[in-house]
Amino acid sequence: MLKKIFFIILSLNLLTHCDYTPFYSKQNKVNYKIVITSFSGDKDINNLIATNLKRTSKEESDQIINIIFDTKYTKNILVKNSTGSITDYQTNVVTTFVIKKDGDSESFSVNEKFNFKKMTDKYEEKNYERNIKKNLANSISQKLILRLAVIK
């Protein structure tokens, strides 16, 4: 009984004095306005990236960052079986960003790949591919936001 009481007091003491903050907690606290000047390439991925960037942008900020990006989406055959029918695909998204801030310009590329198996149901495969695009767009957006945090 004494051990239980001691353990409870010790745990409460440690928890109240611990100053835990997540490493990326300040990641979304941007202090600039993101303006997407233009984009080209895959329409679905571009719209998802633009939505994510607008969500993190601070509209009332004086610092303005202009972004131009181009997205190339490819779906390649990765594996065929012995009869020659496709079993695996690989999706590849290459996004090239041009960031303009205060007269300075910087460009960089983000490359994301994902492998998946072919499904027998075409409708399910299309939905799965749409989810893959969404996840890849979120990943690309997060990489851009981290890059913008470094540019400051």
Side-chain angles (χ1 to χ4, degrees):
M1 181 70 175
L2 188 59
K3 287 183 181 181
K4 288 183 182 179
I5 293 173
F6 178 72
F7 180 71
I8 291 172
I9 291 172
L10 181 66
S11 356
L12 288 174
N13 192 19
L14 288 175
L15 287 176
T16 57
H17 290 92
C18 178
D19 187 25
Y20 171 76
T21 56
F23 185 68
Y24 291 112
S25 66
K26 300 195 188 313
Q27 169 185 333
N28 290 331
K29 295 182 180 178
V30 295
N31 197 15
Y32 44 80
K33 180 179 180 180
I34 299 173
V35 177
I36 300 171
T37 309
S38 68
F39 55 84
S40 60
D42 188 84
K43 182 177 69 170
D44 297 330
I45 295 175
N46 286 342
N47 288 334
L48 291 167
I49 292 172
T51 302
N52 289 338
L53 292 178
K54 286 178 186 174
R55 192 177 310 138
T56 59
S57 177
K58 190 172 186 179
E59 293 298 321
E60 57 274 352
S61 177
D62 293 335
Q63 293 181 345
I64 297 175
I65 296 178
N66 294 316
I67 297 179
I68 301 169
F69 60 94
D70 178 38
T71 304
K72 291 181 179 54
Y73 174 79
T74 56
K75 180 179 171 183
N76 300 321
I77 298 169
L78 191 61
V79 178
K80 290 184 178 183
N81 62 10
S82 59
T83 61
S85 46
I86 302 166
T87 59
D88 291 353
Y89 289 107
Q90 180 181 52
T91 59
N92 188 19
V93 178
V94 178
T95 306
T96 305
F97 292 100
V98 176
I99 302 168
K100 296 179 181 178
K101 178 183 176 187
D102 299 331
D104 295 333
S105 180
E106 178 185 345
S107 65
F108 72 98
S109 292
V110 177
N111 188 3
E112 292 287 328
K113 293 181 182 181
F114 187 79
N115 300 338
F116 66 98
K117 296 210 175 282
K118 181 181 178 183
M119 298 180 177
T120 55
D121 187 10
K122 295 291 182 189
Y123 178 74
E124 287 296 322
E125 187 174 324
K126 281 289 184 193
N127 283 340
Y128 188 60
E129 188 175 348
R130 196 173 306 125
N131 284 334
I132 291 170
K133 282 184 175 184
K134 183 178 179 181
N135 292 336
L136 292 176
N138 287 337
S139 175
I140 291 168
S141 300
Q142 288 302 316
K143 287 182 180 181
L144 175 63
I145 291 167
L146 286 173
R147 184 68 172 246
L148 292 175
V150 172
I151 289 177
K152 284 186 174 183

